[in-house]
């Protein structure tokens, strides 16, 4: 006679990251489908990646953190990008600072640069470029903030459901 299998339910919070990424992907696709160009559909693949989600989430977290100039300088110092040019553009972040901050997410600087340009192109990130010697200034845009707010709303709704494998 076979042994009776004991089922231990999974903690639903373990599903949250995968579910958040899935919801983010759907919201990005909705946003870009509204544009309707073939290029927008191709760009949706890159913009709905975990790297894009991580960057946008960080920019939103940073924007809502109310850092002082001293705390901002400490953040830059922790990532060894506390140059006078980077400190001067407070409260925005420079592209070079973001390269270092996101150096541990497993993508190259070129990929990060392309994602930031793509995000700016679709209005998810505000990007001001004054040319050398001034660093590009980056911050999350209203569109990016609204996108993440929709993701959070949908995620909290989906998390309240006990639907197995909802993240797939």
């Amino acid at each position: 006679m076979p042994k009776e299998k004991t089922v231990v339910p999974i903690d639903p919070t373990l599903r949250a990251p995968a579910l958040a990424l899935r919801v983010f992907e759907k919201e990005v696709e909705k946003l870009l489908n509204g544009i309707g160009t073939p290029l927008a559909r191709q760009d949706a693949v890159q913009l709905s990646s975990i790297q894009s989600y991580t960057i946008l989430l960080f920019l939103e977290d940073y924007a809502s953190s109310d850092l002082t100039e001293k705390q901002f300088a400490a953040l830059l110092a922790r990532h060894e990008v506390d140059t006078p040019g980077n400190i001067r553009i407070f409260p925005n972040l420079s592209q070079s600072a973001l390269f270092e901050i996101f150096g541990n997410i497993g993508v190259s600087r070129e990929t990060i640069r392309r994602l930031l340009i793509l995000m700016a192109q679709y209005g998810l990130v505000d990007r001001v470029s004054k040319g050398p010697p001034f660093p590009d200034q980056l911050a999350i845009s209203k569109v990016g903030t609204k996108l993440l707010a929709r993701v959070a709303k949908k995620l909290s709704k989906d998390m309240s459901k006990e639907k197995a494998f909802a993240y797939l």
Side-chain angles (χ1 to χ4, degrees):
M1 182 189 292
K3 288 185 178 179
E4 193 171 307
K5 185 177 178 183
T6 306
V7 178
V8 179
I10 187 171
D11 183 347
T13 55
L14 292 173
R15 295 183 184 120
L19 194 54
L21 193 56
R22 180 75 171 151
V23 172
F24 177 71
E25 181 182 318
K26 287 180 181 179
E27 289 300 320
V28 167
E29 285 175 4
K30 269 194 243 177
L31 177 74
L32 297 186
N33 280 340
I35 296 169
T37 65
L39 196 55
R41 283 186 225 110
Q42 288 177 346
D43 292 342
V45 173
Q46 291 179 349
L47 284 176
S48 63
S49 69
I50 190 166
Q51 292 86 5
S52 294
Y53 180 67
T54 303
I55 291 169
L56 208 57
L57 186 62
F58 170 78
L59 290 173
E60 174 64 15
D61 195 19
Y62 170 78
S64 64
S65 67
D66 267 348
L67 289 180
T68 64
E69 206 164 338
K70 187 176 180 180
Q71 292 168 323
F72 175 72
L75 172 69
L76 295 178
R78 189 173 8 163
H79 294 283
E80 300 176 357
V81 287
D82 53 338
T83 63
N86 285 340
I87 292 171
R88 192 174 322 127
I89 64 171
F90 175 78
N92 291 333
L93 291 159
S94 72
Q95 182 172 281
S96 62
L98 290 173
F99 287 158
E100 296 304 320
I101 291 168
F102 296 120
N104 63 352
I105 64 171
V107 293
S108 68
R109 287 174 173 241
E110 184 60 21
T111 301
I112 293 169
R113 187 185 71 76
R114 286 182 185 162
L115 285 174
L116 290 169
I117 290 170
L118 205 54
M119 286 181 194
Q121 181 181 337
Y122 289 104
L124 299 172
V125 170
D126 290 330
R127 179 188 182 109
V128 176
S129 183
K130 296 180 181 179
F134 305 103
D136 289 355
Q137 298 179 31
L138 296 142
I140 193 163
S141 68
K142 287 182 181 179
V143 174
T145 298
K146 286 180 183 177
L147 176 82
L148 287 179
R150 285 194 311 272
V151 169
K153 184 178 179 181
K154 180 113 170 88
L155 179 61
S156 64
K157 182 178 164 186
D158 287 353
M159 287 293 295
S160 66
K161 298 176 189 172
E162 283 296 320
K163 187 176 175 186
F165 313 114
Y167 51 88
L168 296 176

